[in-house]
Amino acid sequence: MLVLRMTAPILPPLRPVLRPLVAAIAPLADEFAAADWAAAEQLIEDALGEQPAAEVARFARFVRVIGWLAIITTGRSVGHLPPARRRRLLERLAGLPVPPVGRRVERLRRLALLGVWGRVSARTVADWRPDPRGWAARGPGDQVRRTPRPTPTALTLVK
Amino acid sequence: MSGRFRYDVVIVGAGAGGGTVAAALAPLARAGRRVLLLERGTRHAPEAAVFDEVRATHASYDHPRVDDDVVRLATGRGVGGSTRVSSGVIAAPGGRSVAAWNVPGLDAGDLEGRLVRLAETCGAHFLPPDALNENHRLFADGAARAGFATGAYRVAVRGCRGAAVCGLGCPNDAVQGTHRVQLPVAEAAGVEVITGADVLAVRDRRLEVRVHAPRPGEPDAPWAPGTHLVEAGCVVLAAGAIGTPALLLRSGLGRALPRLGHGITLHPTQWIAAEHPRPITTDVGHPTSLVLDRSETDGWWLEPAFAPPLATALHLGGMGPRHEAMLRAFPRLQMLRAVAIDRAADGHRVTLDADGEPLVQYRLTPAVRRALVQAQRSATRLAFAAGAVRVHAPAAIEAPLERRDIDHIDARLPIDGERLGPVTAVHAMGGAAMGRDAATSVTDAWGRVHGMPWLRIADASLCPDALGVPPALMVMALADRVAEGVQADGGALAEGVA
């Protein structure tokens, strides 16, 4: 069910930790201009906006905990760690024998990917060229490849 | 209450089950009986905006919570339900499935006739070979070289141009879901369809219905926003394997029906992406019409499939440069989907959370984990045999697998490994199963809820156990039987609302 909450944006106070984590998960974010970050954060905000308030609070708490963990274990803030070390931190958390922590990392991963790859402009990075005309929108090269060679086993079993 | 209405029959849900019941009850509507269908989602218009993955997914799916997030579950929302956002695969289960259900009064021969008729009604057919994309050719060729036999699905599509985004809603409305086939018949006969209508509770032939104000861009709701009371001679629930048990639990029927919510199955699914040295046509053409079927022997099947970039990013697991390199190889990806056939288990059930929303209690059993890894191993062999240079399998240790790993696929994909990767599901079944009595089931073989002859169920929740195929056609067949029972009880309906 859609739960709309009329509250202040969740992400601004989390940015110093969250943005470096997003970029560690999806390196494309390293190339982001301000408008890209705005689009990505809007997608994440919208997704969080549909979560129960308690779940959002847990998410915010988890991001802050990662920020403190980085400082405690490395002496540096998340933003000052190289991306590989940020990822290693997340992977270590995911590998802990405490399933809820692993699930938190997975939720963070999903939100980061949603923000980065959910933007309509991201499809150009993936070179995805969707078109409602389907085959008709493709060039002659694709049209040729449309016709398969005979595949003798392809139609032998009917489910 | 804003309004009070009275109908002979009220159907809840406009997907495979509800749409089929509505069409089958068209003669009742033509005969002057008042038949109403309530759908909580909207009536989607085909549009190019489906290519906005986030927006289209948000508009077309609910994501019921699964405890511990072990599976990311999606159920179709809106007129047509999951049949609108599917690739239109029409697959009949083997007779063994129905026999194994062991439901007294459920005759496999009776179902067979309905499966055949409903498949014809939907226009199910085999795609001609020249309509298949390279993802299919690689699937068939790779399977043949790796020693696997493949089969073909019939698909219910008409005017398919190959936009490939069936899972987001076809921009050409080619998929022949209930929104295209059954519901137009029903509405032409006088069945009323109210969208944006959330059924909060159903008790003693009365439904409490909350109608939502339309979201921006949605058509106006036929009923005013607010809460309405609807009285009915007969209520047919077809809100799906999650929605129907949740509604009945919310209505306080859990005590009278001790099996309510139990025995849910999900068809846990994982995706595999294989990189080829050159671009291939995976993202154009119908996405799924072949199958490598191991359902009877090993509890899984594999099929070619297509997921847009965001879904691919989420389905494949991992993060960082390797993960991104896979996404940047998007035009070169062969994509496959592995589906495990899970068995109804006691601890797997639909419950309610503190807010009254469905919460699915579910664990991936060792048998399902084994099936998913075996399917990934087969997919990896198939893809390398088809010429892939690299395979991204979610359970792989240190993914991706390279060609040099061909002789070590089993070691790289250990059956009992800790890592499994993201699991999704779109085929929820069970939760209000047919059976002998209230101690062991929720309904009889005609979808009549035990002890409540005015209340029927006509959706995937009727399945006592998982099928070995996508369930849409079987759901339609079961719903067709339920509708026949409702028609047979036509006289009693009038008494119900008198």
Side-chain angles (χ1 to χ4, degrees):
Chain A
M1 181 176 291
L2 182 67
V3 182
L4 293 174
R5 289 184 294 104
M6 304 299 285
T7 55
I10 301 151
L11 299 187
L14 300 175
R15 265 182 202 142
V17 179
L18 187 62
R19 282 190 177 183
L21 291 177
V22 168
I25 292 166
L28 175 61
D30 276 332
E31 303 163 16
F32 274 6
D36 298 315
W37 275 116
E41 288 185 348
Q42 187 61 56
L43 288 169
I44 297 172
E45 284 276 2
D46 289 348
L48 287 171
E50 292 180 16
Q51 301 288 319
E55 176 59 31
V56 177
R58 277 193 289 271
F59 168 78
R61 209 159 40 236
F62 184 63
V63 171
R64 289 195 185 97
V65 166
I66 295 175
W68 282 111
L69 268 178
I71 291 169
I72 291 165
T73 57
T74 69
R76 294 157 74 180
S77 68
V78 169
H80 286 92
L81 288 176
R85 288 193 70 181
R86 287 178 240 154
R87 271 190 299 281
R88 208 153 51 234
L89 178 62
L90 291 174
E91 284 161 359
R92 277 190 191 146
L93 286 171
L96 287 176
V98 187
V101 176
R103 290 195 291 273
R104 291 273 148 225
V105 174
E106 173 60 15
R107 283 179 200 169
L108 174 61
R109 186 189 82 96
R110 293 185 65 87
L111 283 170
L113 292 171
L114 169 71
V116 174
W117 290 96
R119 297 167 309 122
V120 173
S121 59
R123 67 188 187 206
T124 58
V125 179
D127 196 15
W128 181 40
R129 298 168 290 146
D131 194 303
R133 294 170 296 161
W135 288 114
R138 293 303 175 96
D142 282 351
Q143 293 287 356
V144 168
R145 290 206 301 276
R146 170 183 180 177
T147 307
R149 295 193 303 272
T151 49
T153 63
L155 302 174
T156 52
L157 285 178
V158 174
K159 190 150 185 174
Chain B
M1 294 284 172
S2 308
R4 199 175 177 113
F5 303 92
R6 181 172 287 193
Y7 287 85
D8 293 299
V9 182
V10 175
I11 305 160
V12 179
T20 302
V21 170
L25 295 185
L28 271 188
R30 274 195 292 270
R33 294 299 179 93
R34 297 193 71 198
V35 181
L36 171 70
L37 188 149
L38 297 168
E39 165 57 46
R40 72 191 292 246
T42 190
R43 198 184 287 269
H44 297 274
E47 52 175 340
V50 297
F51 298 121
D52 180 341
E53 265 191 275
V54 175
R55 189 176 145 196
T57 302
H58 189 266
S60 299
Y61 291 97
D62 287 317
H63 294 285
R65 275 206 301 143
V66 180
D67 64 345
D68 287 348
D69 278 353
V70 287
V71 176
R72 174 83 170 159
L73 176 61
T75 57
R77 184 176 64 220
V79 173
S82 294
T83 69
R84 189 186 70 85
V85 283
S86 81
S87 51
V89 166
I90 293 291
R96 279 207 284 176
S97 295
V98 176
W101 284 354
N102 197 23
V103 176
L106 185 66
D107 177 46
D110 170 73
L111 274 178
E112 179 66 24
R114 295 175 201 270
L115 292 167
V116 170
R117 175 168 52 78
L118 288 161
E120 284 174 7
T121 302
C122 297
H125 62 283
F126 294 106
L127 290 179
D130 67 357
L132 304 182
N133 64 14
E134 280 185 300
N135 199 42
H136 283 72
R137 198 197 75 195
L138 293 168
F139 185 85
D141 285 356
R145 288 186 197 130
F148 300 120
T150 53
Y153 283 130
R154 285 174 297 168
V155 294
V157 294
R158 192 166 291 156
C160 174
R161 305 181 71 185
V165 286
C166 312
L168 299 178
C170 178
N172 304 307
D173 232 357
V175 177
Q176 300 298 295
T178 54
H179 64 303
R180 294 277 286 139
V181 179
Q182 286 90 347
L183 287 164
V185 171
E187 292 192 81
V191 174
E192 290 179 53
V193 175
I194 304 294
T195 56
D198 207 357
V199 178
L200 304 178
V202 52
R203 295 183 192 94
D204 298 329
R205 293 190 162 95
R206 289 182 173 83
L207 300 98
E208 190 183 337
V209 182
R210 185 170 57 209
V211 173
H212 300 276
R215 294 179 191 178
E218 288 181 359
D220 285 342
W223 288 1
T227 305
H228 304 273
L229 181 69
V230 180
E231 294 178 303
C234 175
V235 176
V236 182
L237 299 183
I242 309 298
T244 289
L247 171 57
L248 292 174
L249 287 167
R250 215 161 41 228
S251 304
L253 296 177
R255 183 165 295 196
L257 301 165
R259 296 302 300 168
L260 187 59
H262 287 267
I264 196 86
T265 64
L266 299 179
H267 274 176
T269 298
Q270 291 197 285
W271 288 68
I272 300 97
E275 285 181 47
H276 283 257
R278 58 171 180 76
I280 54 176
T281 52
T282 297
D283 63 337
V284 64
H286 188 276
T288 304
S289 59
L290 296 180
V291 61
L292 193 171
D293 182 13
R294 291 294 185 89
S295 58
E296 296 278 351
T297 54
D298 300 311
W300 54 266
W301 80 78
L302 267 180
E303 57 196 19
F306 170 69
L310 173 60
T312 302
L314 296 173
H315 293 336
L316 267 297
M319 62 176 83
R322 274 189 194 155
H323 184 264
E324 189 154 303
M326 172 192 71
L327 291 165
R328 288 180 185 270
F330 193 77
R332 297 187 281 112
L333 293 182
Q334 175 188 4
M335 294 190 196
L336 306 96
R337 187 164 48 203
V339 182
I341 296 137
D342 48 343
R343 302 268 68 115
D346 244 3
H348 294 174
R349 54 188 292 216
V350 179
T351 60
L352 298 178
D353 68 12
D355 298 321
E357 293 297 317
L359 174 64
V360 181
Q361 295 182 353
Y362 189 88
R363 293 286 181 279
L364 291 169
T365 63
V368 165
R369 294 176 71 96
R370 195 162 46 244
L372 286 170
V373 175
Q374 284 176 340
Q376 288 181 54
R377 288 175 172 181
S378 297
T380 303
R381 292 195 170 89
L382 182 158
F384 279 137
V389 295
R390 191 170 294 116
V391 176
H392 301 263
I397 298 170
E398 297 173 24
L401 290 94
E402 307 286 342
R403 283 197 74 84
R404 62 175 178 272
D405 297 317
I406 282 178
D407 294 330
H408 310 288
I409 290 172
D410 289 359
R412 293 287 314 279
L413 289 161
I415 289 286
D416 299 318
E418 286 181 11
R419 182 187 168 86
L420 186 62
V423 180
T424 62
V426 294
H427 294 165
M429 288 169 268
M434 298 174 287
R436 186 180 301 278
D437 52 37
T440 57
S441 61
V442 175
T443 81
D444 67 10
W446 292 88
R448 283 183 289 236
V449 175
H450 296 302
M452 292 169 233
W454 56 273
L455 182 59
R456 323 279 167 117
I457 293 175
D459 59 30
S461 60
L462 290 172
C463 298
D465 207 347
L467 299 166
V469 292
L473 182 62
M474 178 57 98
V475 172
M476 287 192 262
L478 293 172
D480 193 61
R481 272 172 64 86
V482 173
E484 185 179 312
V486 171
Q487 283 189 291
D489 293 347
L493 303 180
E495 290 166 23
V497 290

